[in-house]
Amino acid sequence: MTSCRRPEHAILPYGQSPEELVPGIPSFYSTSMPTSKGFNPLIVESHEGRPTKIEGNPSYLPFGGGTDIYAQASVLEIYDPDRSRGSFKKDSKKTQGSTLMRWKKKPTDTLLLEVSKWAKEKKMAVLSDSSFSVVVNKIKDDYLTQGIKWFEYDPIDFLKPEKSLASALKADNSLRSIPNFNKCKRVLSLDCDFLGNREPFNQANSRSFMKKRHIRPNKPEDAKSMNRLYSVESDLTITGGVADHRLRLESSKMSVFANLILAQILRKLKSTDETLLSHLEKEQDILTAQNEWILTCVDDLCENPSSSLVLAGNHLPQDVQVAVYAINRALGAIGKTIRYKPVDPTLSSSVGSLVDSINAGEVDSLLIVGGNPIYHTKEFIDWEKLFDKLDNSARVGYSIDESSEQCDLHIGQSHYLESWDLGLTWDNETLVPVQPLIAPLFDTKSDVDCLLRILGDSEDAHNLTKSLFEKISDKVSFDDFLRLGVAPYKPTGSMFSSAEKMASGSKEFLSPELRSFLLASSPVAPRLSDQNLEILLVPDFHCWDGRFANNGWRI
């Protein structure tokens, strides 16, 4: 085969083998992959200094050594021929009376120095995707302190439910739902693919949920202790395929459906609040065909109230998230089969606020870090018109894509297997490292190093990662942390106050804040027909939101 030809010139074997390297014998290192679902703990296999295979880190018990398809395939991206092989600046060249724009390669440090001048002299803003990185969030605080605006955008926003729930309940902090399937006997899923990749923490969910569905050989009595899953969904998912009882229902009717479930549960629990009950049931006529299914499901949930659990898909609107919280509270499930964990709210603003700031003249220089926001938002944001109002623009990215093409500078971003970082898992209880298995193959920098250089900070990503870890964890050495790949995390200095009260539930069926919100919301399900269709857009199994489109293993 052509790929196996011997070189024409003489080559020499190792004169002196590097320490701890034996040709043909792999080494294994702990690291993690940053994602919008938190950092994914990993063990990476390396041959002669090159990462070749990725598996889950068994030291992270919720995942039990498992990982997902995207982490498995991410090792291929480090060898992607289309990745950025350095940094570039737009250059104009006149040819035959026309002007041609092209990318001219520049040293990365030179372009970072240029952007750092914008931070000092201009009205600069940063647009990035959300991050579970302790290091990036610390840097973000430093940027905000220096008057640099920070905005975030995620095409698939897993943080939206916790923010909307906190907003409805007037809590100080976001409320993140963490289910505990080990204690569940009955589960109702409302358009929530908690066993599939559309929901965060799905690896832990799958592991704990399926434990309760195992029947040993010649032990038919185990069937009596099996959990039971009711799934209501708009399209067929992994969770729906596992369900004992599945109901197909349009997403646009989920709000009315959740209210009816809540109303029937409150009636079962002898609630006398007829005002609220009548309000929750006022749209019940649209679900007449599903009434028997609803009653059967509610009866089963109320027979095992504190061992029951109701979940809502992260894409569903605020009124569904609040209704599901109310159901879990009424059942007494909070603190038993589900926790609503208070987490610090993000200090960044939305991409819509960035548009307003540019139009108002409050921003004249823009730095885009990661993601591909221009591609994802071009249908509702006129970026060309916005960039005409900017003096400078730069992109820190893994490849030259739609967002880079709009900017003046493209700064090559290193792969996470070439970078240092420190992050949190989705449950906000475990610290995991990102450590490089290999030096950057090209003249690129990690997002952390880029942000530090632009801020004028002489500290590098490794030293900052180490110092932050040592401040957070005083019981584990940094070297041991890198070897094991996990360390317990407990937030310090956070003031949760009312959020803790909401998260712990109450002896009341519904709190005054919760009741007020339910009465104020009036979801109406549209009447669907051949002239009024519902279109469901879901993340692609292969390339997610498009970021893995160039990965040959995800086609």
Side-chain angles (χ1 to χ4, degrees):
M1 295 184 293
T2 56
S3 60
C4 298
R5 292 178 299 170
R6 290 177 61 85
E8 295 179 3
H9 301 285
I11 60 173
L12 298 176
Y14 281 128
Q16 182 176 356
S17 178
E19 187 178 358
E20 297 180 358
L21 190 152
V22 180
I25 305 298
S27 301
F28 297 88
Y29 300 89
S30 65
T31 187
S32 60
M33 177 180 174
T35 75
S36 55
K37 304 177 185 179
F39 279 49
N40 192 350
L42 305 173
I43 297 292
V44 183
E45 181 177 340
S46 174
H47 286 80
E48 288 81 56
R50 297 274 177 140
T52 54
K53 184 73 170 72
I54 289 178
E55 294 291 351
N57 188 342
S59 298
Y60 184 59
L61 298 182
F63 288 3
T67 187
D68 60 20
I69 53 176
Y70 306 110
Q72 290 264 345
S74 66
V75 70
L76 188 62
E77 295 174 354
I78 198 171
Y79 309 112
D80 185 354
D82 293 328
R83 65 173 290 192
S84 294
R85 302 195 175 198
S87 299
F88 303 87
K89 185 173 185 177
K90 271 187 181 173
D91 183 43
S92 59
K93 181 180 180 181
K94 292 186 177 180
T95 56
Q96 297 179 351
S98 61
T99 302
L100 177 67
M101 297 300 296
R102 62 177 184 175
W103 289 106
K104 188 173 183 179
K105 195 166 186 178
K106 296 283 186 178
T108 297
D109 288 335
T110 301
L111 297 189
L112 288 174
L113 181 62
E114 183 175 340
V115 179
S116 68
K117 293 178 181 178
W118 306 349
K120 295 174 183 176
E121 303 169 3
K122 302 283 186 176
K123 295 178 285 187
M124 185 170 146
V126 177
L127 174 60
S128 74
D129 40 12
S130 62
S131 176
F132 284 75
S133 167
V134 176
V135 180
V136 170
N137 286 326
K138 191 266 181 189
I139 295 173
K140 182 200 302 184
D141 293 340
D142 294 340
Y143 270 65
L144 293 171
T145 301
Q146 295 200 15
I148 299 173
K149 297 178 181 290
W150 193 289
F151 304 88
E152 291 180 354
Y153 175 77
D154 288 291
I156 301 170
D157 189 1
F158 290 113
L159 303 181
K160 183 179 177 181
E162 62 192 52
K163 294 176 184 176
S164 60
L165 183 58
S167 172
L169 301 179
K170 296 181 172 58
D172 300 328
N173 294 69
S174 299
L175 292 171
R176 182 172 301 164
S177 61
I178 309 291
N180 181 5
F181 291 100
N182 291 318
K183 298 181 179 180
C184 284
K185 293 183 179 178
R186 302 292 181 265
V187 181
L188 170 60
S189 166
L190 300 183
D191 222 6
C192 178
D193 186 20
F194 63 86
L195 299 178
N197 61 357
R198 297 185 194 176
E199 299 292 334
F201 219 46
N202 60 299
Q203 293 150 260
N205 293 342
S206 300
R207 187 175 176 82
S208 57
F209 178 80
M210 297 309 292
K211 278 183 181 178
K212 302 280 286 184
R213 298 178 78 82
H214 178 66
I215 299 178
R216 293 170 294 176
N218 302 318
K219 297 287 184 179
E221 62 272 15
D222 287 353
K224 296 179 181 179
S225 61
M226 279 181 61
N227 55 27
R228 187 175 298 161
L229 172 59
Y230 294 83
S231 178
V232 185
E233 58 184 19
S234 51
D235 71 325
L236 183 60
T237 65
I238 294 175
T239 302
V242 174
D244 302 287
H245 305 277
R246 179 179 179 270
L247 176 66
R248 186 176 180 181
L249 187 71
E250 299 92 331
S251 279
S252 56
K253 294 181 180 178
M254 288 295 171
S255 298
V256 174
F257 189 92
N259 279 358
L260 285 179
I261 290 285
L262 175 58
Q264 292 300 324
I265 287 176
L266 292 176
R267 289 193 184 278
K268 274 277 185 182
L269 298 176
K270 310 299 183 185
S271 172
T272 57
D273 191 345
E274 284 298 329
T275 303
L276 177 61
L277 292 172
S278 299
H279 179 76
L280 294 173
E281 294 173 337
K282 69 178 183 178
E283 289 288 324
Q284 63 180 338
D285 291 345
I286 200 168
L287 294 177
T288 303
Q290 291 81 20
N291 190 55
E292 184 178 350
W293 199 97
I294 291 172
L295 293 176
T296 302
C297 177
V298 168
D299 288 343
D300 206 1
L301 293 174
C302 291
E303 283 180 10
N304 308 272
S306 60
S307 300
S308 296
L309 169 64
V310 182
L311 297 172
N314 66 82
H315 62 285
L316 294 175
Q318 184 182 40
D319 50 10
V320 180
Q321 307 295 338
V322 175
V324 166
Y325 169 84
I327 292 170
N328 286 322
R329 182 165 178 160
L331 290 171
I334 298 179
K336 296 173 183 175
T337 59
I338 189 170
R339 291 178 296 147
Y340 286 91
K341 189 179 183 66
V343 293
D344 291 321
T346 179
L347 299 176
S348 56
S349 303
S350 66
V351 68
S353 301
L354 171 62
V355 174
D356 295 338
S357 295
I358 294 175
N359 286 328
E362 298 171 358
V363 172
D364 60 18
S365 299
L366 178 63
L367 173 67
I368 301 176
V369 181
N372 191 0
I374 292 181
Y375 171 78
H376 290 297
T377 60
K378 61 184 178 182
E379 296 301 323
F380 56 91
I381 296 178
D382 188 346
W383 286 103
E384 288 191 11
K385 191 175 289 186
L386 285 176
F387 271 75
D388 288 340
K389 300 178 182 180
L390 295 173
D391 296 335
N392 308 286
S393 57
R395 165 82 190 295
V396 177
Y398 194 67
S399 61
I400 296 179
D401 53 21
E402 291 82 359
S403 296
S404 297
E405 290 288 355
Q406 199 70 48
C407 297
D408 303 321
L409 310 179
H410 172 85
I411 300 170
Q413 182 177 355
S414 298
H415 192 272
Y416 74 90
L417 294 175
E418 303 170 324
S419 308
W420 283 101
D421 204 346
L422 178 68
L424 289 167
T425 53
W426 173 260
D427 58 3
N428 216 44
E429 295 179 354
T430 306
L431 280 168
V432 290
V434 177
Q435 58 174 328
L437 274 78
I438 188 172
L441 296 178
F442 307 106
D443 180 24
T444 58
K445 301 284 186 185
S446 70
D447 54 346
V448 172
D449 277 319
C450 288
L451 291 169
L452 287 172
R453 295 287 182 91
I454 291 169
L455 202 59
D457 197 324
S458 59
E459 195 170 25
D460 62 16
H462 169 267
N463 292 335
L464 181 56
T465 298
K466 183 177 180 179
S467 63
L468 284 177
F469 175 79
E470 290 173 344
K471 286 180 183 177
I472 296 171
S473 179
D474 55 358
K475 296 182 180 179
V476 182
S477 71
F478 187 65
D479 288 345
D480 288 340
F481 172 56
L482 295 181
R483 291 189 188 99
L484 190 62
V486 296
Y489 173 74
K490 188 174 182 180
T492 56
S494 297
M495 299 298 292
F496 291 138
S497 58
S498 64
E500 284 184 323
K501 181 181 175 183
M502 299 292 180
S504 60
S506 170
K507 292 182 179 179
E508 307 172 74
F509 282 153
L510 303 176
S511 65
E513 298 92 348
L514 188 52
R515 183 179 182 275
S516 298
F517 181 88
L518 292 170
L519 287 172
S521 64
S522 299
V524 178
R527 307 284 175 171
L528 301 178
S529 67
D530 57 351
Q531 301 298 317
N532 186 28
L533 302 177
E534 175 178 305
I535 298 177
L536 188 65
L537 301 178
V538 299
D540 184 72
F541 176 79
H542 299 282
C543 61
W544 192 238
D545 58 2
R547 69 185 62 199
F548 301 107
N550 208 46
N551 190 313
W553 290 354
R554 297 302 313 129
I555 295 176

